[in-house]
Amino acid sequence: MLKIIWVFGIFFVCTWAVHITKLATEVTVVDTELLPNEHLNLKGTKKLSKSNIEHIILKNCSGVIDGTSLKHFPKLHKLTIWRSDIRSISTIFPINNLISVGSRLPNLDEQLQRKLPKLQTLFLIGNKDFEVDPYVFRKFKSLVALYISEANFTETCITKEWFKDMGQLEELSLSDNNLDCISEDAFNNLKVLRKLDLTYNKFTTLDKKVFKKLTKLENLGIYNNNIEDFDINFLDSQRKHLEGLGISWSMLSNLDAESFLKLLPKLKWVSFGHEEMPNDFQAGVFCQILRQHSVNCITDSVFGVSKILGYSL
Ligand SMILES: *[C@@H]1O[C@H](CO)[C@@H](O)[C@H](O)[C@H]1NC(C)=O
Ligand SMILES: *[C@@H]1O[C@H](CO)[C@@H](O)[C@H](O)[C@H]1NC(C)=O
């Protein structure tokens, strides 16, 4: 009897394993042209059941996404476009996650927004000749994470209008977009924001109230801007929650480490950017004192993600 159960068990495990391979939920499509009114051709992946696919990765593909292209993928909720050339998206496309890196794709405007009504995460890094109308952000009502880098913004001063009705946004990265100013109330609607990346832009000043309403912020990146006269006390509102800070050494060099630690008691790490640590005796001393309080000076991979990926155009 035991033997039978054992054999049956093996059989069950084997068929289960077969099922797992059949249930692959992700497929990568390479060097393929998406033609109008044609189903996406999954060459060489016949064994995959289209009905289980949740994530399609287009690599070096081109063409159009219309009502026919992806209609046989009922569970599809994530699309990654990698170094591809997508000329148009002409159908309502109810995916939750869109990632596009180093590609050509339609500009982010109202027309594109209407095609993507269910997005929760939008990740647009290093796309070519890519224009962004920031007034459409707020129309993505379900957006939780928004990352845009190396885009051509139609306006370069961040205002509150951009993020109206985005009360559920938790992560915002606007790194490396030539943005040059921020109104003092710009982030006031982002009540649950946990991460804010403003690195690699052209900000020269920050208003002392700009982070004040961000009561959940854990990671803030502002290095690689031209901010002078930064008063660290502007971060006073962050004392109960800020854990990671990306800031240029020049913005801290007039400050002693003890007062810095006192200002931000929840801090776990500080990053001065992606380059090596500043070759500056003072910075070394500063970081040593931080370390004695279990705060590390690190080279982070949290901010300026497009710089790490190396998609600078
Ligand atoms: C991308 O696809 C095109 C056409 O399908 C092909 O000619 C080219 O070699 C591919 N490039 C790379 C880098 O794979
Ligand atoms: C950005 O957009 C503006 C307005 O459409 C255009 O004049 C400019 O050439 C664009 N710049 C880049 C780098 O694409």
Side-chain angles (χ1 to χ4, degrees):
M1 180 64 188
L2 257 183
K3 209 168 186 178
I4 292 174
I5 292 176
W6 192 74
V7 169
F8 183 76
I10 297 260
F11 177 72
F12 183 76
V13 168
C14 292
T15 53
W16 179 239
V18 170
H19 270 289
I20 288 177
T21 55
K22 268 193 192 158
L23 281 172
T25 57
E26 185 181 294
V27 64
T28 303
V29 180
V30 185
D31 300 350
T32 298
E33 180 158 19
L34 288 87
L35 299 166
N37 304 313
E38 283 194 19
H39 301 146
L40 175 64
N41 187 358
L42 297 184
K43 274 176 290 191
T45 52
K46 287 198 193 78
K47 284 197 196 110
L48 288 170
S49 165
K50 289 187 181 181
S51 59
N52 293 320
I53 299 294
E54 295 173 10
H55 180 194
I56 292 181
I57 302 164
L58 300 176
K59 253 188 194 171
N60 188 40
C61 291
S62 60
V64 301
I65 294 175
D66 63 19
T68 314
S69 333
L70 300 169
K71 84 171 181 195
H72 294 303
F73 299 93
K75 287 197 189 154
L76 185 68
H77 62 77
K78 179 169 180 179
L79 179 70
T80 299
I81 302 172
W82 184 266
R83 294 209 166 186
S84 290
D85 181 359
I86 301 302
R87 287 188 291 278
S88 70
I89 297 180
S90 64
T91 184
I92 305 268
F93 194 25
I95 49 170
N96 305 126
N97 310 286
L98 177 65
I99 298 170
S100 178
V101 180
S103 296
R104 257 176 231 286
L105 79 161
N107 288 328
L108 183 61
D109 53 16
E110 212 157 311
Q111 213 186 346
L112 182 63
Q113 188 281 324
R114 279 200 295 264
K115 305 290 166 24
L116 301 163
K118 300 220 164 144
L119 281 189
Q120 292 169 2
T121 65
L122 180 57
F123 206 99
L124 302 169
I125 305 283
N127 295 298
K128 299 182 180 92
D129 304 325
F130 182 60
E131 203 174 280
V132 168
D133 171 3
Y135 293 97
V136 307
F137 295 161
R138 64 192 193 208
K139 299 191 171 155
F140 291 102
K141 301 268 185 213
S142 337
L143 217 55
V144 175
L146 174 63
Y147 284 67
I148 301 188
S149 285
E150 295 166 69
N152 189 359
F153 275 61
T154 54
E155 284 190 22
T156 55
C157 191
I158 306 176
T159 68
K160 194 179 176 183
E161 291 302 304
W162 293 17
F163 312 113
K164 233 171 152 176
D165 312 320
M166 294 189 82
Q168 64 285 67
L169 198 69
E170 293 178 20
E171 297 182 18
L172 175 62
S173 171
L174 297 174
S175 176
D176 200 4
N177 291 306
N178 290 321
L179 302 174
D180 54 21
C181 77
I182 311 178
S183 73
E184 62 169 52
D185 58 356
F187 305 120
N188 282 11
N189 290 322
L190 303 177
K191 302 275 190 242
V192 296
L193 201 68
R194 290 187 291 106
K195 173 176 171 181
L196 177 60
D197 180 2
L198 301 169
T199 58
Y200 297 98
N201 280 298
K202 299 206 163 136
F203 306 118
T204 52
T205 58
L206 286 178
D207 189 275
K208 65 172 188 282
K209 292 193 195 129
V210 76
F211 305 122
K212 202 164 182 168
K213 294 280 171 69
L214 297 174
T215 56
K216 299 274 190 302
L217 202 63
E218 290 164 11
N219 293 310
L220 172 65
I222 49 179
Y223 56 68
N224 283 71
N225 283 290
N226 305 311
I227 302 166
E228 285 165 20
D229 300 327
F230 182 72
D231 179 351
I232 196 75
N233 291 308
F234 292 3
L235 297 179
D236 185 44
S237 56
Q238 303 303 311
R239 58 181 299 117
K240 292 197 178 127
H241 36 86
L242 200 72
E243 294 179 0
L245 177 63
I247 191 164
S248 304
W249 168 240
S250 62
M251 294 167 74
L252 289 180
S253 47
N254 293 325
L255 194 75
D256 70 279
E258 279 88 359
S259 10
F260 178 68
L261 287 163
K262 216 173 270 173
L263 186 77
L264 296 170
K266 290 280 157 74
L267 213 60
K268 293 182 176 149
W269 54 267
V270 177
S271 167
F272 300 129
H274 295 150
E275 291 86 34
E276 286 303 298
M277 283 288 301
N279 187 14
D280 174 332
F281 176 71
Q282 246 192 310
V285 172
F286 188 91
C287 286
Q288 201 179 354
I289 298 172
L290 259 52
R291 241 186 329 269
Q292 285 161 3
H293 293 81
S294 309
V295 178
N296 291 309
C297 289
I298 61 165
T299 307
D300 75 281
S301 50
V302 174
F303 306 119
V305 174
S306 73
K307 293 286 181 191
I308 300 171
L309 286 173
Y311 274 95
S312 302
L313 299 175

